[in-house]
PDB file of all heavy atoms in Angstrom:
ATOM      1  N   ILE P  35      75.071  60.952  21.681  1.00  0.00           N
ATOM      2  CA  ILE P  35      76.498  60.737  21.396  1.00  0.00           C
ATOM      3  C   ILE P  35      76.713  60.682  19.877  1.00  0.00           C
ATOM      4  O   ILE P  35      75.972  60.000  19.159  1.00  0.00           O
ATOM      5  CB  ILE P  35      77.007  59.419  22.039  1.00  0.00           C
ATOM      6  CG1 ILE P  35      76.883  59.524  23.555  1.00  0.00           C
ATOM      7  CG2 ILE P  35      78.450  59.136  21.649  1.00  0.00           C
ATOM      8  CD1 ILE P  35      77.272  58.256  24.290  1.00  0.00           C
ATOM      9  N   ASP P  36      77.731  61.399  19.423  1.00  0.00           N
ATOM     10  CA  ASP P  36      78.044  61.396  17.992  1.00  0.00           C
ATOM     11  C   ASP P  36      78.547  60.022  17.582  1.00  0.00           C
ATOM     12  O   ASP P  36      79.221  59.348  18.341  1.00  0.00           O
ATOM     13  CB  ASP P  36      79.156  62.413  17.698  1.00  0.00           C
ATOM     14  CG  ASP P  36      78.767  63.821  18.064  1.00  0.00           C
ATOM     15  OD1 ASP P  36      77.576  64.126  17.952  1.00  0.00           O
ATOM     16  OD2 ASP P  36      79.646  64.592  18.465  1.00  0.00           O
ATOM     17  N   GLU P  38      80.887  57.408  15.343  1.00  0.00           N
ATOM     18  CA  GLU P  38      82.301  57.416  15.000  1.00  0.00           C
ATOM     19  C   GLU P  38      82.539  58.185  13.688  1.00  0.00           C
ATOM     20  O   GLU P  38      83.477  58.966  13.580  1.00  0.00           O
ATOM     21  CB  GLU P  38      82.743  55.967  14.833  1.00  0.00           C
ATOM     22  CG  GLU P  38      84.100  55.678  15.381  1.00  0.00           C
ATOM     23  CD  GLU P  38      84.333  54.195  15.483  1.00  0.00           C
ATOM     24  OE1 GLU P  38      84.210  53.513  14.462  1.00  0.00           O
ATOM     25  OE2 GLU P  38      84.616  53.722  16.600  1.00  0.00           O
ATOM     26  N   GLU P  44      83.976  65.407  11.508  1.00  0.00           N
ATOM     27  CA  GLU P  44      84.154  66.685  12.199  1.00  0.00           C
ATOM     28  C   GLU P  44      85.645  67.019  12.315  1.00  0.00           C
ATOM     29  O   GLU P  44      86.074  68.154  12.116  1.00  0.00           O
ATOM     30  CB  GLU P  44      83.543  66.545  13.608  1.00  0.00           C
ATOM     31  CG  GLU P  44      83.366  67.834  14.357  1.00  0.00           C
ATOM     32  CD  GLU P  44      82.893  67.572  15.790  1.00  0.00           C
ATOM     33  OE1 GLU P  44      81.921  66.813  15.971  1.00  0.00           O
ATOM     34  OE2 GLU P  44      83.519  68.113  16.706  1.00  0.00           O
ATOM     35  N   ALA P  49      90.135  70.594   9.952  1.00  0.00           N
ATOM     36  CA  ALA P  49      91.477  70.839   9.416  1.00  0.00           C
ATOM     37  C   ALA P  49      91.471  71.316   7.965  1.00  0.00           C
ATOM     38  O   ALA P  49      92.505  71.685   7.429  1.00  0.00           O
ATOM     39  CB  ALA P  49      92.293  69.554   9.520  1.00  0.00           C
ATOM     40  N   LYS P  53      87.441  79.247   3.458  1.00  0.00           N
ATOM     41  CA  LYS P  53      87.354  80.237   2.369  1.00  0.00           C
ATOM     42  C   LYS P  53      88.007  81.542   2.816  1.00  0.00           C
ATOM     43  O   LYS P  53      87.765  82.018   3.913  1.00  0.00           O
ATOM     44  CB  LYS P  53      85.876  80.484   2.025  1.00  0.00           C
ATOM     45  CG  LYS P  53      85.677  81.088   0.668  1.00  0.00           C
ATOM     46  CD  LYS P  53      85.625  80.034  -0.400  1.00  0.00           C
ATOM     47  CE  LYS P  53      85.608  80.647  -1.792  1.00  0.00           C
ATOM     48  NZ  LYS P  53      85.937  79.670  -2.830  1.00  0.00           N
ATOM     49  N   LYS P  54      88.874  82.082   1.949  1.00  0.00           N
ATOM     50  CA  LYS P  54      89.532  83.351   2.311  1.00  0.00           C
ATOM     51  C   LYS P  54      88.633  84.537   1.961  1.00  0.00           C
ATOM     52  O   LYS P  54      87.870  84.475   1.052  1.00  0.00           O
ATOM     53  CB  LYS P  54      90.860  83.459   1.567  1.00  0.00           C
ATOM     54  CG  LYS P  54      91.915  82.597   2.223  1.00  0.00           C
ATOM     55  CD  LYS P  54      93.177  82.519   1.368  1.00  0.00           C
ATOM     56  CE  LYS P  54      93.891  81.188   1.620  1.00  0.00           C
ATOM     57  NZ  LYS P  54      93.507  80.178   0.626  1.00  0.00           N
TER      58      LYS P  54
ATOM     59  N   ASP F  72      94.713  75.759   0.294  1.00  0.00           N
ATOM     60  CA  ASP F  72      93.723  76.565  -0.413  1.00  0.00           C
ATOM     61  C   ASP F  72      92.431  75.767  -0.565  1.00  0.00           C
ATOM     62  O   ASP F  72      92.459  74.600  -0.967  1.00  0.00           O
ATOM     63  CB  ASP F  72      94.284  76.926  -1.792  1.00  0.00           C
ATOM     64  CG  ASP F  72      93.318  77.789  -2.583  1.00  0.00           C
ATOM     65  OD1 ASP F  72      93.275  79.001  -2.319  1.00  0.00           O
ATOM     66  OD2 ASP F  72      92.595  77.243  -3.438  1.00  0.00           O
ATOM     67  N   GLN F  73      91.305  76.387  -0.238  1.00  0.00           N
ATOM     68  CA  GLN F  73      90.043  75.642  -0.243  1.00  0.00           C
ATOM     69  C   GLN F  73      89.709  75.053  -1.614  1.00  0.00           C
ATOM     70  O   GLN F  73      89.377  73.875  -1.730  1.00  0.00           O
ATOM     71  CB  GLN F  73      88.902  76.540   0.231  1.00  0.00           C
ATOM     72  CG  GLN F  73      87.654  75.727   0.571  1.00  0.00           C
ATOM     73  CD  GLN F  73      86.485  76.608   0.991  1.00  0.00           C
ATOM     74  OE1 GLN F  73      86.212  77.629   0.363  1.00  0.00           O
ATOM     75  NE2 GLN F  73      85.817  76.224   2.047  1.00  0.00           N
ATOM     76  N   ASP F  74      89.828  75.878  -2.660  1.00  0.00           N
ATOM     77  CA  ASP F  74      89.504  75.388  -4.006  1.00  0.00           C
ATOM     78  C   ASP F  74      90.506  74.325  -4.452  1.00  0.00           C
ATOM     79  O   ASP F  74      90.138  73.341  -5.091  1.00  0.00           O
ATOM     80  CB  ASP F  74      89.497  76.545  -5.016  1.00  0.00           C
ATOM     81  CG  ASP F  74      88.363  77.507  -4.746  1.00  0.00           C
ATOM     82  OD1 ASP F  74      87.371  77.088  -4.119  1.00  0.00           O
ATOM     83  OD2 ASP F  74      88.470  78.680  -5.145  1.00  0.00           O
ATOM     84  N   PHE F  96      94.173  65.071   6.428  1.00  0.00           N
ATOM     85  CA  PHE F  96      93.444  66.134   7.128  1.00  0.00           C
ATOM     86  C   PHE F  96      93.029  65.685   8.532  1.00  0.00           C
ATOM     87  O   PHE F  96      93.063  66.477   9.477  1.00  0.00           O
ATOM     88  CB  PHE F  96      92.211  66.573   6.329  1.00  0.00           C
ATOM     89  CG  PHE F  96      92.521  67.568   5.244  1.00  0.00           C
ATOM     90  CD1 PHE F  96      92.213  67.300   3.921  1.00  0.00           C
ATOM     91  CD2 PHE F  96      93.124  68.782   5.541  1.00  0.00           C
ATOM     92  CE1 PHE F  96      92.493  68.225   2.915  1.00  0.00           C
ATOM     93  CE2 PHE F  96      93.416  69.706   4.537  1.00  0.00           C
ATOM     94  CZ  PHE F  96      93.098  69.425   3.222  1.00  0.00           C
ATOM     95  N   LYS F 110      86.558  63.169  23.956  1.00  0.00           N
ATOM     96  CA  LYS F 110      86.284  63.027  22.530  1.00  0.00           C
ATOM     97  C   LYS F 110      87.551  62.659  21.755  1.00  0.00           C
ATOM     98  O   LYS F 110      87.502  61.959  20.748  1.00  0.00           O
ATOM     99  CB  LYS F 110      85.757  64.374  22.042  1.00  0.00           C
ATOM    100  CG  LYS F 110      84.783  64.316  20.901  1.00  0.00           C
ATOM    101  CD  LYS F 110      84.505  65.756  20.530  1.00  0.00           C
ATOM    102  CE  LYS F 110      83.344  65.973  19.671  1.00  0.00           C
ATOM    103  NZ  LYS F 110      83.160  67.382  19.356  1.00  0.00           N
ATOM    104  N   ARG F 113      88.185  59.056  21.389  1.00  0.00           N
ATOM    105  CA  ARG F 113      87.229  58.462  20.445  1.00  0.00           C
ATOM    106  C   ARG F 113      87.622  58.766  18.995  1.00  0.00           C
ATOM    107  O   ARG F 113      87.463  57.930  18.116  1.00  0.00           O
ATOM    108  CB  ARG F 113      85.809  58.958  20.743  1.00  0.00           C
ATOM    109  CG  ARG F 113      85.307  58.487  22.118  1.00  0.00           C
ATOM    110  CD  ARG F 113      83.905  58.987  22.411  1.00  0.00           C
ATOM    111  NE  ARG F 113      82.957  58.468  21.439  1.00  0.00           N
ATOM    112  CZ  ARG F 113      81.884  59.149  21.003  1.00  0.00           C
ATOM    113  NH1 ARG F 113      81.649  60.362  21.461  1.00  0.00           N
ATOM    114  NH2 ARG F 113      81.070  58.620  20.128  1.00  0.00           N
TER     115      ARG F 113
END
Side-chain angles (χ1 to χ4, degrees):
Chain P
I35 297 176
D36 299 328
E38 219 166 56
E44 193 186 310
K53 200 86 188 164
K54 282 171 209 95
Chain F
D72 181 80
Q73 194 182 44
D74 293 337
F96 277 122
K110 211 185 194 181
R113 295 180 62 214

